[in-house]
């Protein structure tokens, strides 16, 4: 849906309620463009080492100028690099990604902060993740990793409400495959730093069972 309309995910509308009926992505009339190019070559006979480069570009427009900048046309863009490395056959592997961009709320970056409505400027952000995975049994996989989303503090300054300055997560996950049933358990140690006051911490446990048909 994003190819046809930017703002398909966050449905953002920064305009006052009385200013019009168009959401920001609809106002621009331009799509979100996305592309990824990757190269892989085999390791351990059939497993592949793969390196990818990706990017996205989108345009949004408000009915009224936003904040001190007086701007009503905003750009969203990002570039990223991803890597998958099979460390030992299909039993142990490493995956990771780094990215950087601005106004990334529609693609879940910047901790869902795309525009500082006080300054009227896009929020830059950088981040990435790294995960080690293992398959000790044919029906069992285990995963552990770290993820970070880090908006630019300078772009958060001056906002009417304190912004979320950094999300960092340590996590572990277990998956059991009993076709057609899958069972999963996750643990996440979540820390959110805020611009202007202290950090918040959360320990999250979750599990699921799914039936595939």
């Amino acid at each position: 849906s994003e190819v046809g309309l930017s703002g398909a995910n966050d449905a953002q509308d920064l305009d006052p309620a009385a200013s019009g009926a168009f959401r920001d992505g609809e106002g621009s009339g331009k799509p979100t463009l996305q592309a990824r190019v990757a190269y892989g070559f085999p390791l351990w006979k059939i497993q592949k080492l793969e390196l990818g480069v990706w990017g996205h570009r989108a345009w949004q427009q408000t009915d009224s100028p936003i904040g001190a900048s007086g701007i009503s046309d905003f750009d969203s863009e990002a570039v990223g690099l991803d890597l998958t490395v099979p460390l030992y056959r299909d039993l142990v592997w490493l995956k990771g990604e780094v990215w950087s961009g601005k106004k990334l709320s529609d693609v879940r970056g910047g901790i869902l902060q795309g525009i500082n409505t006080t300054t009227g400027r896009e929020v830059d952000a950088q981040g990435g993740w790294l995960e080690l995975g293992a398959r000790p049994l044919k029906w069992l996989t285990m995963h552990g990793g770290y993820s970070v989303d880090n908006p630019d503090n300078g772009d958060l300054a001056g906002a009417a409400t304190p912004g979320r300055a950094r999300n960092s997560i340590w996590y572990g996950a277990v998956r059991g495959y009993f076709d057609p049933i899958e069972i999963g358990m996750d643990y996440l140690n979540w820390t959110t730093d805020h611009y202007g006051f202290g950090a918040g911490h959360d320990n999250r446990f979750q599990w699921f069972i799914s039936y595939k048909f």
Side-chain angles (χ1 to χ4, degrees):
S1 59
E2 282 187 6
V3 173
L5 173 66
S6 60
N9 284 337
D10 63 8
Q12 183 173 257
D13 191 359
L14 298 178
D15 299 305
S19 67
F22 291 102
R23 291 175 297 183
D24 303 340
E26 295 171 341
S28 74
K30 298 178 181 178
T32 292
L33 305 178
Q34 300 176 341
R36 178 178 181 266
V37 177
Y39 176 74
F41 57 90
L43 291 176
W44 307 107
K45 293 185 178 180
I46 61 173
Q47 282 69 43
K48 286 186 177 181
L49 186 152
E50 183 173 291
L51 176 66
V53 179
W54 59 267
H56 103 272
R57 184 75 162 83
W59 299 262
Q60 293 193 346
Q61 183 179 69
T62 57
D63 297 324
S64 305
I66 301 298
S69 69
I71 294 174
S72 58
D73 292 292
F74 300 94
D75 299 324
S76 172
E77 57 191 30
V79 293
L81 179 71
D82 61 83
L83 179 67
T84 300
V85 182
L87 299 178
Y88 182 63
R89 298 190 295 182
D90 64 344
L91 301 179
V92 184
W93 59 88
L94 187 69
K95 295 183 178 182
E97 181 178 36
V98 292
W99 54 266
S100 179
K102 67 176 182 178
K103 197 190 179 303
L104 301 178
S105 57
D106 197 42
V107 290
R108 301 299 186 260
I111 320 181
L112 298 181
Q113 299 167 117
I115 297 174
N116 183 328
T117 56
T118 301
T119 63
R121 297 292 183 181
E122 297 99 340
V123 175
D124 291 348
Q126 306 80 38
W129 56 272
L130 185 68
E131 178 182 289
L132 179 66
R135 187 186 300 274
L137 300 169
K138 184 177 181 180
W139 52 269
L140 179 70
T141 62
M142 305 174 68
H143 313 261
Y146 176 76
S147 177
V148 63
D149 184 353
N150 186 23
D152 190 316
N153 285 2
D155 293 335
L156 301 176
T161 57
R164 297 179 297 278
R166 179 185 172 98
N167 265 356
S168 57
I169 307 168
W170 292 96
Y171 66 89
V174 179
R175 298 288 184 268
Y177 305 96
F178 311 94
D179 194 33
I181 295 174
E182 179 180 343
I183 299 173
M185 294 178 290
D186 304 326
Y187 165 68
L188 300 94
N189 181 282
W190 195 302
T191 300
T192 299
D193 298 314
H194 296 84
Y195 183 82
F197 64 98
H201 302 279
D202 180 38
N203 288 286
R204 184 176 303 176
F205 296 88
Q206 57 195 31
W207 71 276
F208 70 87
I209 181 169
S210 66
Y211 179 80
K212 301 177 181 179
F213 58 92

